Amino acid sequence: MRRAAVVAALAGVLCLAAAADPAERLADPVQEAHARAIFQDVRCLVCQNESIDDSEAPLAGDLRHVIREQVRAGRSDPQIKQYLTDRYGQFVLMRPSFDAGNLALWAGPFLVVALGVLLLIARLRNRQPDPDLSQAEADRVERLSRDGTP
Amino acid sequence: MMAEFGAFALMLGLAFAIAQLGLSVAARLRRSTVLAAAGEGAALASFASVAISFAILMHAFVVSDFSVANVAANSHTEKPLLYRVAGTWGSHEGSMLLWDLALTGYGAAMAIFGRGLPKGLKAVAVATQGALGTVFLAYTVFASNPLARLLQPPVEGRSLNPLLQDPALAVHPPFLYSGYVGMSVVFSLSVAALVEGKVDAAWARWVRPWALFAWSLLTVGIMLGSFWAYYELGWGGWWFWDPVENASFMPWLVATALLHSAIVTEKRGALSGWTVFLGLAAFSFSMLGAFLVRSGVLTSVHAFAVDPTRGVLLLFILGATTGAAFVLFAWRAPKLSQGGVFAPVSRESALVLNNILLAAATATVLLGTLFPLIREALTGEAISVGPPYFNLTFTPLMAALILILPIGPLLAWKRGDALGVAQRLWAAAGLAIVAGLLAYAVVSPRKALGALGLALGAWLIAGALAELVERTRAFRVPAAESWRRLTGLPRGAWGMTLAHIGLGVFVLGACFETGWRAEAAETLPLGGSLNVGAYHLALQGVRAVEGPNYDAERADILATRGGKLICRARPERRLYLANGQTTSEVAICDQGPSHLYIVLGERRTAAGQPVWLVRAYWNPWAVLIFLGPVTMALGGLLSLSDRRLRIGVPRRREAAA
């Protein structure tokens, strides 16, 4: 089942990790590593579900070029990401922002944990003693303790 | 004629599924064994009919009968036999037929192997399975006929996507579907338990083998898909948090939770409502996966459906079956018994925590997959939820789960002894901490998270072994006595140990590979070389080769380490003639549990001579990533062969009777 979409996502894409292409690299290895780190957080807009670090689509190549230029010019991560979202919207970032609209997304999993733990605590506190024995069971206990016949 | 007969057999399968539903419901209402047997017979007949239809579709693929639309669209005469066979389930229609085959197959298996089930429970379960069969077969017959004919058959087919022409992927869907659809039995048994109003130890024990079997196959199926992505897509990634992967991962997480909560229901009679809930949820998530992948909601983020009619139909099926099941749950579950009490420190508590964390992990994957759709529908603003989200939410939840995992099996039921467990686990904890510090100090001080992951993996494995030591009283009683205890352990215990060790192996591999992989890429002329990690790769030659349905360039690369020959790698770049698509065949040199992973990229020209883009990765301990899930699945299957599941539970007699 996964294959259909992965394939759709990657059809014709063989040179993945395209960002490693030596023809594109920055001369300074520190800056290059910095740029690569940013690439992984930027979505290739025309691809299915890839970062521009992986995609060889032309648009991804253009974005890598733009980001490398900005890294070389010494701009910070937030500045570069701001530049990207101004042009392409939140969609371009692989990590959704921490804002009110995404509250359910970020808080959801931890709410499930909190709810589960609360339920567990309630269950542990609300310990009912074993229900009283029915008459038949009480008789049986009586018989067992008297002469051992079940 | 064959295709028409196949289509007829499919309709017959639908008719039998309807009969299965009707007869079994009547059997339950009238408490008639004759009608129940008739319903079970219908289940067998339904399976036989669908199997015939499936065999005919497969035959059409094998002989390349292009008058069948599905074959013409997805096959090619030059394709090797294995991929012509695998083409049967390579399309929407074919994979739905495989789904139906599995669904009716499980129905038939339940009819045959469910002898120990109480009559009423079994009749309702068979009826539910029949209802599911009816719905999905009706969908296949009326909206997705895999055997439809073409008026003008083409001379040649359009072939299967070359990326899919791969042995691991050829067998991936049968495993995955057997896993997904196996949850349908758990679903039917849960519905039956709700109808009968009784969830007890015996019920949990009947559910367990089906859940174990489906879970094991699903584990293997997901692993195969991941392995395929690893070596076929050509950049060494193995998990991308792709929506399609998530669709298969959610049922797995729920099934894992179910296996654990069912233990509590079986041994202590507690959590019965929750176990039933998970039983319903596991198959619901399977159906959600089928819907998400097929409707096109996910393959294209902006269009609702590739095929809107089918998408809406599948959504309707999903809503109707899941909705009905959960309404039944809301109505009947409050009447289920609460079960025994337990103290805060007890095995019950540990298993509940396991379930809370797994449920939260499922919620994470569900939110990460669906939230972008919801947000876009509500506000019109598109967002992306990529790997960074899952690293920040899913990973900490899993880390917490791994931390408590070794503790659970050592705690006693009802009231555990925290101090005693600490005494039994201090060695494992020490080992894990040492492993983490060692990794941090020796391999690379910058990868603190990788080192933490290694410590967690070591903790899992050492913890599982500590539990084994505890069970055999090793080092406290004579060795012979320990050996006797070891060989006498039930297979269920071995299965658990194996599965937990498998998870540890996976965690070790995943963390090591992610934290310490090395990557290099250069354009090389003939005779050129590059270094990756400690390895030196020299491009010695590139020659043209001709495959059965592709042309390729094959590089001859010599890998050495410190002057010593490691391997000759022959990665290829293929051009598939049928549709003009290029793919790369990576070359992987095994180095113990690690991989040297080499990809031949495109040919370019530099200074008048040809050069090739060569990329290489050093993927340390990559084998463990795939070995871990295999070990887990083996653990599941071993546990399946446990004596207590084979002989079943003795009927509990009422005291007063």
Side-chain angles (χ1 to χ4, degrees):
Chain A
M1 303 249 303
R2 67 196 287 283
R3 61 193 201 172
V6 173
V7 164
L10 304 167
V13 183
L14 254 261
C15 244
L16 290 155
D21 193 328
E24 294 183 3
R25 268 179 232 157
L26 289 174
D28 179 352
V30 177
Q31 286 187 336
E32 173 66 17
H34 181 192
R36 290 291 299 274
I38 298 178
F39 294 165
Q40 287 174 5
D41 284 348
V42 178
R43 187 184 189 119
C44 163
L45 297 160
V46 295
C47 314
Q48 287 295 337
N49 188 20
E50 286 174 274
S51 70
I52 58 169
D53 196 53
D54 295 332
S55 173
E56 75 161 4
L59 178 73
D62 293 346
L63 276 178
R64 284 198 295 270
H65 181 72
V66 168
I67 292 171
R68 279 193 168 106
E69 285 307 311
Q70 299 207 358
V71 168
R72 191 155 64 182
R75 299 188 68 184
S76 70
D77 273 21
Q79 283 174 322
I80 295 174
K81 288 187 176 165
Q82 187 64 46
Y83 170 90
L84 290 168
T85 49
D86 285 349
R87 273 156 193 76
Y88 303 105
Q90 287 293 325
F91 188 63
V92 78
L93 297 182
M94 286 298 231
R95 197 183 81 189
S97 58
F98 296 102
D99 62 21
N102 291 338
L103 187 68
L105 179 67
W106 285 107
F110 301 100
L111 272 179
V112 172
V113 175
L115 187 72
V117 171
L118 282 178
L119 281 173
L120 175 61
I121 292 172
R123 174 81 206 277
L124 288 169
R125 285 189 147 195
N126 183 24
R127 262 192 259 168
Q128 293 155 343
D130 284 338
D132 290 335
L133 297 178
S134 68
Q135 191 54 47
E137 285 167 328
D139 290 350
R140 191 161 171 241
V141 170
E142 173 68 22
R143 274 200 315 274
L144 274 168
S145 51
R146 203 175 49 232
D147 50 17
T149 50
Chain B
M1 265 312 280
M2 288 272 285
E4 281 70 30
F5 184 65
F8 172 72
L10 195 60
M11 285 181 215
L12 202 60
L14 172 60
F16 278 124
I18 296 171
Q20 176 187 347
L21 170 61
L23 289 168
S24 302
V25 168
R28 174 64 184 83
L29 291 176
R30 298 188 178 184
R31 304 224 171 255
S32 153
T33 41
V34 178
L35 285 174
E40 288 160 25
L44 296 177
S46 181
F47 171 60
S49 310
V50 175
I52 290 171
S53 177
F54 188 81
I56 287 174
L57 180 64
M58 189 179 278
H59 176 261
F61 267 94
V62 169
V63 302
S64 295
D65 178 357
F66 295 128
S67 71
V68 175
N70 190 8
V71 181
N74 297 292
S75 198
H76 196 278
T77 46
E78 282 174 12
K79 223 164 58 163
L81 179 66
L82 172 66
Y83 304 127
R84 293 209 301 277
V85 171
T88 315
W89 48 77
S91 64
H92 173 104
E93 292 84 358
S95 64
M96 270 325 287
L97 189 59
L98 180 64
W99 176 286
D100 295 337
L101 181 73
L103 192 61
T104 50
Y106 277 111
M110 190 157 67
I112 296 171
F113 298 115
R115 284 200 202 94
L117 294 172
K119 294 209 164 56
L121 186 85
K122 187 176 181 186
V124 179
V126 172
T128 312
Q129 200 74 17
L132 292 172
T134 303
V135 171
F136 279 100
L137 280 168
Y139 171 80
T140 315
V141 168
F142 297 115
S144 139
N145 181 3
L147 286 152
R149 292 274 198 189
L150 287 174
L151 279 177
Q152 288 173 317
V155 182
E156 190 51 274
R158 270 183 282 157
S159 195
L160 181 69
N161 187 321
L163 277 175
L164 305 184
Q165 297 183 24
D166 175 88
L169 208 57
V171 296
H172 163 66
F175 274 103
L176 202 60
Y177 280 46
S178 309
Y180 275 153
V181 180
M183 303 301 168
S184 69
V185 181
V186 180
F187 181 91
S188 296
L189 285 171
S190 301
V191 168
L194 287 170
V195 170
E196 300 292 313
K198 195 171 167 207
V199 178
D200 54 11
W203 178 85
R205 202 171 277 196
W206 288 312
V207 166
R208 192 162 179 75
W210 300 100
L212 267 174
F213 182 71
W215 177 88
S216 302
L217 293 186
L218 190 56
T219 309
V220 173
I222 296 174
M223 184 281 292
L224 282 173
S226 172
F227 187 50
W228 166 78
Y230 173 74
Y231 69 76
E232 189 66 28
L233 298 184
W235 81 110
W238 46 271
W239 193 261
F240 311 95
W241 294 109
D242 184 278
V244 183
E245 293 171 334
N246 296 349
S248 68
F249 194 36
M250 286 186 280
W252 187 88
L253 286 170
V254 175
T256 311
L258 170 71
L259 285 178
H260 290 89
S261 81
I263 299 175
V264 182
T265 308
E266 182 186 335
K267 304 276 187 195
R268 299 282 309 137
L271 299 188
S272 46
W274 173 245
T275 304
V276 168
F277 179 85
L278 289 175
L280 299 178
F283 188 60
S284 301
F285 274 109
S286 295
M287 289 192 287
L288 177 71
F291 160 72
L292 287 177
V293 173
R294 289 209 169 64
S295 63
V297 173
L298 296 175
T299 37
S300 168
V301 183
H302 293 288
F304 178 74
V306 194
D307 187 341
T309 345
R310 282 179 180 173
V312 169
L313 267 175
L314 280 171
L315 186 61
F316 179 75
I317 293 176
L318 172 69
T321 44
T322 311
F326 284 107
V327 165
L328 181 70
F329 179 80
W331 175 36
R332 305 285 289 195
K335 298 199 180 99
L336 297 177
S337 71
Q338 274 260 314
V341 292
F342 51 90
V345 178
S346 62
R347 195 183 293 183
E348 287 94 325
S349 287
L351 285 167
V352 169
L353 274 182
N354 151 302
N355 267 246
I356 292 172
L357 291 167
L358 281 170
T362 312
T364 306
V365 181
L366 184 66
L367 276 170
T369 312
L370 293 185
F371 188 80
L373 295 172
I374 298 168
R375 173 143 189 196
E376 189 167 5
L378 290 180
T379 65
E381 192 186 355
I383 60 159
S384 300
V385 178
Y389 168 77
F390 295 99
N391 290 342
L392 285 171
T393 52
F394 183 84
T395 314
L397 288 170
M398 279 299 116
L401 182 65
I402 291 169
L403 270 180
I404 62 161
L405 195 153
I407 300 170
L410 285 169
L411 284 168
W413 293 107
K414 287 187 92 165
R415 185 181 297 278
D417 170 16
L419 198 68
V421 170
Q423 281 170 348
R424 286 172 192 124
L425 279 175
W426 66 266
L431 193 76
I433 291 168
V434 169
L437 288 176
L438 219 70
Y440 184 69
V442 177
V443 190
S444 161
R446 278 174 301 130
K447 308 273 188 183
L449 279 176
L452 199 65
L454 277 184
L456 286 174
W459 165 241
L460 277 179
I461 296 174
L465 294 176
E467 198 261 345
L468 215 54
V469 166
E470 172 60 23
R471 271 177 185 266
T472 57
R473 306 246 184 283
F475 313 121
R476 279 187 284 153
V477 296
E481 166 69 8
S482 283
W483 178 251
R484 196 187 58 73
R485 282 170 179 270
L486 191 72
T487 50
L489 279 183
R491 290 194 200 161
W494 280 111
M496 179 194 76
T497 305
L498 208 57
H500 287 171
I501 288 179
L503 181 63
V505 167
F506 167 78
V507 169
L508 281 183
C511 292
F512 210 66
E513 198 267 352
T514 312
W516 285 279
R517 72 193 308 219
E519 169 194 291
E522 291 296 342
T523 45
L524 300 180
L526 287 181
S529 65
L530 85 164
N531 290 317
V532 55
Y535 296 87
H536 180 80
L537 309 178
L539 179 64
Q540 298 207 315
V542 179
R543 64 192 184 88
V545 287
E546 221 173 279
N549 52 350
Y550 59 84
D551 285 340
E553 277 191 318
R554 181 184 292 166
D556 184 14
I557 292 172
L558 199 67
T560 52
R561 178 179 184 159
K564 241 175 55 188
L565 177 70
I566 295 294
C567 69
R568 295 195 86 94
R570 295 190 174 83
E572 288 179 18
R573 187 170 173 85
R574 292 182 180 170
L575 174 67
Y576 280 81
L577 308 169
N579 56 6
Q581 193 170 329
T582 50
T583 72
S584 79
E585 277 305 293
V586 301
I588 295 177
C589 295
D590 288 300
Q591 289 292 297
S594 308
H595 279 161
L596 186 60
Y597 183 106
I598 303 165
V599 190
L600 178 67
E602 63 185 11
R603 179 211 287 255
R604 293 177 186 171
T605 311
Q609 57 165 341
V611 291
W612 285 266
L613 182 61
V614 175
R615 285 179 296 112
Y617 302 87
W618 168 243
N619 292 334
W621 293 10
V623 175
L624 302 191
I625 296 169
F626 310 108
L627 194 65
V630 171
T631 314
M632 291 163 80
L634 282 178
L637 293 176
L638 189 66
S639 179
L640 192 62
S641 69
D642 192 292
R643 189 163 169 275
R644 81 174 200 281
L645 297 183
R646 275 175 289 148
I647 61 171
V649 241
R651 257 342 126 64
R652 193 174 288 176
R653 276 180 302 175
E654 295 301 320

